[in-house]
Amino acid sequence: MDSAFQKELNCFICLNYLTDPVTIGCGHTFCRPCLYLSWEEAEIPVRCPLCRETSEQTEFKTNILVKNLTSLARQASLWQFLSSEEQMCGTHKEAKKMFCEESKNLLCLLCSNSQEHEAHSHCSIECAVEEYREKLLKQMRSLWENIQKNQRNLNEESLITNLWIYYVFLLSEIISSEYQKVHPVLLEEEKQHLEGLKSEGKKILQQLKKREATMVQKGKRLREMYEELMNICHKSDVELLQDLGDILTRSESVQLHMPQPVKPALIARPITGLIDRFNQFRVEISFSYEVSSQNIMLFDDVRSLRLRHDLQEASFPSGRSNYFASWGSQAFTSGKHYWEIDVNDSWDWAVGVCKDTWLRKNGSLVESDNLFLLLCVKDDNCYNLLTTSPVLPQYIEKPLGRVGVYVDFDSGSVSFVNVAKSSLIWKYPACSSSYPLRPFFCTGHT
């Protein structure tokens, strides 16, 4: 085969025949595995390894035409190799055209029918190469997905680990400030509450670090297997068949038992008299200005934030469910106010207060500084609690039943309460109270 033609079927990165070729926007074609590895640590926007043109692509389809041409070129090289005199069958002086599945040997037709091999499974070398190369590529795609998934999980776990000590400290400060309002009656309870929080926080931190280390090791094993498969794929057809060994079995094995992130949730510890104290400022809330369905983007915004990765910002499709949101008829400008909302039947919900300016802008971004919300967002089979302004995950037991909202203009704070557990979930310290705040409630149902 013409050497110039063969050169066009080589990958610029590995300089071997193209394996699972993909063509990017500038028109250049590379092995999918080579391109993945080349772009993995590259700066964004990524660039073509050959012409350096920037590329926005994140997903690729195999270039079937180039793949077929490469397959023909491989076959031509294979038959040129097998037709050489030194590769002839030493016993029958015939070209080896068959592959023995059991012994992994190349055989001539007569040898494959001999007593030694007649009970074995055989196929033509071309079919064997095609079958095993596809199996290798399938394993590589699966491995790459698991490598990326493991890295996402590791990033998430590392973020939680880095924030955990600070989160437990902030929550301890919030709990302590709440107890100061009833001192010295509950002094012993406060001590036990804070000691229990500290002990639980330390235990969960150890779990997070242990799982993080497990993910690092898993990532190394997945990457080593991926590179081993890639090296096998880049070999000549004969070497590929003879060097397979148990690599496919090992590849499947290393992908088992993928470590999942720890979903930490502190126990909702009760504060004696918390609800009774808030109930002194109980108000009846009536809601108006109702909207529903696709006009509500709060939960989609949260999911998009959670799905942002290094090479792309993944957006969550809107309109998945029926959403319902409403704002309080009355806006509060001073004093202390407390109300409760039942969220037990909701799968996505948000409770809290927002500025009138946020309403007029018809805002939806959870990163807005015009709303103070506690959100519960369902992600697969898990529930995630978080607060807005700024967006902060809340690693505490999910409230069931009613959630209480307490607005105190005197101290400039907004608090959220797990009513069933008489437990403080979070408290916004010293948020500005120079503007009207209006109750807000949003829910989604399955």
Side-chain angles (χ1 to χ4, degrees):
M1 181 173 288
D2 183 77
S3 59
F5 176 70
Q6 283 183 307
K7 185 177 180 180
E8 291 300 315
L9 298 176
N10 286 348
C11 171
F12 171 78
I13 299 174
C14 67
L15 305 180
N16 295 306
Y17 276 128
L18 286 158
T19 299
D20 197 7
V22 292
T23 302
I24 60 178
C26 62
H28 291 120
T29 303
F30 307 93
C31 301
R32 184 193 299 268
C34 294
L35 189 64
Y36 278 170
L37 292 176
S38 172
W39 279 0
E40 189 177 30
E41 303 296 334
E43 295 182 358
I44 297 174
V46 292
R47 297 178 179 273
C48 169
L50 186 56
C51 70
R52 308 307 297 166
E53 180 178 320
T54 59
S55 175
E56 301 295 332
Q57 282 181 273
T58 56
E59 295 184 5
F60 307 95
K61 291 184 178 180
T62 301
N63 188 321
I64 301 299
L65 175 60
V66 175
K67 180 180 179 180
N68 291 340
L69 289 174
T70 305
S71 180
L72 291 174
R74 287 183 185 276
Q75 287 181 21
S77 297
L78 173 64
W79 283 114
Q80 184 178 2
F81 175 78
L82 294 176
S83 299
S84 62
E85 187 174 347
E86 58 269 24
Q87 293 300 318
M88 290 287 183
C89 173
T91 304
H92 303 103
K93 305 303 180 185
E94 290 189 4
K96 299 175 183 178
K97 299 181 179 181
M98 307 301 294
F99 177 69
C100 178
E101 296 279 357
E102 279 72 12
S103 66
K104 307 299 182 186
N105 289 328
L106 307 182
L107 306 171
C108 74
L109 190 59
L110 293 174
C111 284
S112 67
N113 291 324
S114 67
Q115 185 176 0
E116 180 183 357
H117 293 282
E118 63 180 352
H120 297 168
S121 298
H122 307 94
C123 64
S124 68
I125 292 176
E126 300 102 308
C127 290
V129 168
E130 190 73 21
E131 178 184 350
Y132 280 106
R133 197 178 294 279
E134 286 302 315
K135 286 182 178 180
L136 290 169
L137 291 176
K138 182 179 179 180
Q139 283 295 308
M140 290 181 70
R141 294 187 191 105
S142 177
L143 271 167
W144 188 255
E145 289 177 4
N146 281 320
I147 288 172
Q148 300 306 304
K149 181 178 180 180
N150 184 73
Q151 187 59 50
R152 289 194 296 269
N153 289 340
L154 177 58
N155 292 343
E156 179 181 345
E157 205 74 344
S158 298
L159 178 61
I160 296 174
T161 302
N162 292 335
L163 291 175
W164 184 254
I165 297 176
Y166 181 61
Y167 173 78
V168 174
F169 170 78
L170 281 181
L171 189 59
S172 298
E173 291 291 300
I174 290 171
I175 297 298
S176 181
S177 68
E178 202 62 38
Y179 271 107
Q180 288 175 11
K181 299 172 183 178
V182 291
H183 270 215
V185 180
L186 300 177
L187 187 60
E188 185 61 30
E189 179 182 305
E190 178 189 1
K191 180 181 178 182
Q192 293 177 359
H193 192 137
L194 295 178
E195 285 179 351
L197 181 59
K198 181 179 179 181
S199 176
E200 187 184 6
K202 184 177 180 180
K203 181 180 179 181
I204 291 177
L205 180 62
Q206 291 173 345
Q207 295 173 356
L208 289 167
K209 289 182 176 179
K210 183 178 180 180
R211 186 57 57 89
E212 191 176 344
T214 302
M215 289 177 178
V216 169
Q217 291 301 315
K218 191 68 170 183
K220 289 180 179 178
R221 291 196 293 271
L222 291 169
R223 173 59 63 87
E224 288 169 357
M225 179 55 64
Y226 188 82
E227 292 179 354
E228 186 177 349
L229 287 172
M230 185 171 70
N231 290 334
I232 290 285
C233 280
H234 284 153
K235 291 187 174 184
S236 68
D237 291 348
V238 171
E239 289 179 312
L240 183 149
L241 291 175
Q242 293 180 330
D243 294 346
L244 276 171
D246 62 348
I247 193 169
L248 291 173
T249 302
R250 289 190 291 112
S251 174
E252 292 175 354
S253 178
V254 78
Q255 297 179 73
L256 298 175
H257 311 299
M258 293 290 295
Q260 300 302 311
V262 172
K263 295 289 186 179
L266 294 166
I267 297 171
R269 292 177 168 82
I271 298 177
T272 300
L274 180 70
I275 303 300
D276 291 338
R277 186 163 58 83
F278 285 166
N279 269 329
Q280 298 177 50
F281 311 102
R282 187 76 171 251
V283 293
E284 295 300 323
I285 301 296
S286 60
F287 289 98
S288 62
Y289 193 70
E290 299 169 352
V291 296
S292 60
S293 295
Q294 296 187 18
N295 292 326
I296 304 168
M297 301 296 293
L298 277 172
F299 305 109
D300 293 346
D301 287 340
V302 173
R303 293 188 180 96
S304 293
L305 282 172
R306 287 180 55 80
L307 290 171
R308 286 178 185 171
H309 304 316
D310 295 336
L311 293 181
Q312 62 180 343
E313 288 191 1
S315 59
F316 197 90
S318 60
R320 283 173 58 90
S321 281
N322 293 322
Y323 292 114
F324 173 86
S326 58
W327 289 265
S329 303
Q330 179 184 0
F332 301 114
T333 57
S334 63
K336 300 176 182 180
H337 313 275
Y338 174 72
W339 63 93
E340 295 176 357
I341 295 179
D342 194 331
V343 298
N344 205 33
D345 296 329
S346 305
W347 69 296
D348 281 346
W349 52 260
V351 298
V353 291
C354 63
K355 294 182 186 179
D356 280 343
T357 53
W358 187 72
L359 296 179
R360 288 194 294 270
K361 293 177 181 178
N362 195 27
S364 64
L365 291 176
V366 294
E367 293 171 298
S368 169
D369 60 358
N370 293 327
L371 70 164
F372 305 94
L373 303 179
L374 173 67
L375 294 96
C376 180
V377 182
K378 187 178 181 183
D379 186 6
D380 294 329
N381 293 320
C382 298
Y383 288 89
N384 301 285
L385 285 180
L386 66 151
T387 47
T388 61
S389 301
V391 175
L392 179 68
Q394 297 295 324
Y395 303 113
I396 197 164
E397 183 179 338
K398 174 181 176 286
L400 299 175
R402 289 176 296 165
V403 171
V405 181
Y406 177 62
V407 179
D408 184 353
F409 280 89
D410 295 342
S411 64
S413 65
V414 177
S415 304
F416 300 111
V417 183
N418 182 336
V419 177
K421 296 294 181 71
S422 189
S423 174
L424 189 62
I425 299 172
W426 190 249
K427 178 181 178 180
Y428 284 104
C431 65
S432 174
S433 56
S434 61
Y435 47 79
L437 291 178
R438 193 176 295 270
F440 176 84
F441 176 56
C442 183
T443 182
H445 293 275
T446 53

